[in-house]
Amino acid sequence: MSKKLKLALQIESAAAGVPPKSQLKTWAEAALRPNVKQAEVTVRIVDAEEGQTLNREYRGKDYATNVLTFTFDEDGDMPDIPGLPLMGDLVLCAPVVEREAAEQGITLEAHYCHLLVHGLLHLQGFDHIEDDEAEEMEALESQIVMSLGYDDPYRLDKEIDG
């Protein structure tokens, strides 16, 4: 794979099953769209307390969530500098990831992969607020996750819908 991604890993959780940095980097590189020439991303694995604090402070929601994405230029006040790498942080809350994987009957590894891909797509400007945006983002997530050898993360939704 290319060396267009610099990935830093911070593990602030004692949870078992956290994927190694090399695997996180492989997944993150797969999620980078062709227009991204360089990226610098920090992945931070946290426990519920830090996850809840960050979600409350930055999203106004007082619970730990599975993944939070922080773009370097969240407010859009940085000038658009050609050649500046995509930069941001992803925070994955280990206990939430573990609980959701168990609830969904999938492996912890597969869920970490999906959430990392999901967060990286957010970092690149994808969103799922509007239905058409959600469909595009979910289709891309499915494509990337399946290309990495995991099941479609939205397969249950698709089975229920149709």
Side-chain angles (χ1 to χ4, degrees):
M1 288 231 150
S2 71
K3 295 188 178 189
K4 67 180 181 178
L5 172 66
K6 289 182 184 175
L7 183 98
L9 176 60
Q10 300 173 351
I11 301 177
E12 299 299 327
S13 172
V18 173
K21 181 179 179 180
S22 60
Q23 190 155 39
L24 293 168
K25 187 171 184 186
T26 296
W27 297 337
E29 286 178 331
L32 291 176
R33 303 296 74 215
N35 63 317
V36 176
K37 302 303 179 210
Q38 286 191 305
E40 295 179 18
V41 178
T42 298
V43 175
R44 183 172 175 89
I45 312 290
V46 301
D47 281 327
E49 183 178 345
E50 184 174 343
Q52 181 173 354
T53 299
L54 290 169
N55 201 26
R56 181 176 53 244
E57 287 179 10
Y58 291 96
R59 294 182 63 229
K61 298 181 184 221
D62 195 17
Y63 58 86
T65 190
N66 51 20
V67 61
L68 292 167
T69 302
F70 298 95
T71 57
F72 181 67
D73 189 24
E74 184 83 17
D75 299 324
D77 54 9
M78 286 264 310
D80 189 16
I81 302 170
L84 189 69
L86 174 72
M87 291 186 272
D89 299 332
L90 298 181
V91 178
L92 293 158
C93 185
V96 175
V97 176
E98 190 173 337
R99 185 191 75 234
E100 289 177 348
E103 289 171 355
Q104 295 172 30
I106 59 175
T107 67
L108 187 55
E109 182 179 298
H111 200 40
Y112 267 111
C113 176
H114 175 221
L115 293 174
L116 188 78
V117 167
H118 183 87
L120 253 293
L121 291 178
H122 273 308
L123 193 61
Q124 296 170 87
F126 289 88
D127 213 335
H128 47 80
I129 295 171
E130 302 294 329
D131 286 347
D132 58 333
E133 292 175 336
E135 287 178 22
E136 178 186 6
M137 186 172 177
E138 288 176 10
L140 193 50
E141 284 175 56
S142 294
Q143 174 192 343
I144 295 165
V145 169
M146 289 189 302
S147 78
L148 291 163
Y150 301 98
D151 289 337
D152 181 349
Y154 295 105
R155 74 189 183 292
L156 294 177
D157 294 342
K158 292 171 184 171
E159 289 170 7
I160 292 168
D161 290 344

